[in-house]
Amino acid sequence: MGSSGSGKSTLLNILGMLDNADDGTYDLDKIRIENLDEKTAAEYRNKFLGFVFQSFNLITYKNALENVALPLYYQGIPRKERQKTALSFLEKVGLKDWATHLPSELSGGQKQRVAIARGLLKKASIYIFDEATSALDVENEREIMTALLETLKNETVIFVTHRPALFEYVDKVLMLEKGRVVGFDKPSKIDETSTEFRELFGGFQ
């Protein structure tokens, strides 16, 4: 967590093997992540990471079901099986009845739900959600977070966000301020004297 310019995107790019760190080391599943060529980085991203982005990244000419099922297509899963699986994940995010609708027929919040369903479907070691609930209102965010964490209750999940409402769903919060980690602890123990904390959360407890 942190405000604009605090380093969230930079950290995300390092975790996602899109950028190299200037200093320090990054080990993923006992593999030292450094100086990777693009092919190797892409293989590691596909093997270890599941991403859900704020920008949805939906294919405009495919309906909601087809967008969610896309990762299974690339895995060679038969059509009938991938549609059944994709539909079950759309149901998790409350969009089963919208399965045949194109992205242009969906609201921003519904597009976000489709992107989340697609991210949940992929089997990964680490799931990274980059402002993935920002298009949702409070009630829908609560509903999605409950379903998401129930689905991924035994997985490692990283939320990149500036929304204090997500505090109640996480085990630890990493606070960034001007490119530095200024807090990493249980939500209730994050240092409230941090400049970023005061700017972002005000009186939130």
Side-chain angles (χ1 to χ4, degrees), residues 118-136:
R118 184 179 58 192
L120 290 175
L121 180 144
K122 180 182 179 183
K123 297 297 183 183
S125 300
I126 300 174
Y127 293 85
I128 299 176
F129 292 80
D130 183 16
E131 299 283 4
T133 61
S134 61
L136 305 176

Side-chain angles (χ1 to χ4, degrees), residues 6-25:
S6 62
K8 299 193 303 296
S9 294
T10 298
L11 179 58
L12 180 63
N13 287 342
I14 292 171
L15 293 175
M17 291 165 277
L18 299 170
D19 287 334
N20 290 314
D22 295 325
D23 198 4
T25 56

Side-chain angles (χ1 to χ4, degrees), residues 92-94 109 112-113 116 120 132-151 159 163-170 204:
K92 289 178 186 292
V93 299
Q112 190 70 79
R113 286 168 176 254
I116 290 172
L120 290 175
T133 61
S134 61
L136 305 176
D137 59 32
V138 174
E139 183 178 346
N140 282 316
E141 180 177 63
R142 185 177 296 112
E143 181 183 331
I144 289 297
M145 288 298 297
T146 300
L148 190 158
L149 293 179
E150 175 61 27
T151 303
F159 296 102
R163 292 167 69 107
L166 295 191
F167 262 45
E168 66 178 288
Y169 301 102
V170 301
F204 179 80

Side-chain angles (χ1 to χ4, degrees), residues 31-43:
I31 299 171
R32 178 59 51 86
I33 305 299
E34 62 181 359
N35 302 320
L36 302 180
D37 59 66
E38 182 49 41
K39 181 180 178 181
T40 303
E43 289 175 352

Side-chain angles (χ1 to χ4, degrees), residues 53-58 112 130:
F53 297 99
Q54 182 181 14
S55 56
F56 314 141
N57 293 333
L58 301 182
Q112 190 70 79
D130 183 16

Side-chain angles (χ1 to χ4, degrees), residues 164-184:
L166 295 191
F167 262 45
E168 66 178 288
Y169 301 102
V170 301
D171 299 312
K172 287 191 176 182
V173 176
L174 187 149
M175 284 291 300
L176 292 169
E177 182 176 324
K178 298 178 181 177
R180 295 183 178 276
V181 176
V182 295
F184 183 50

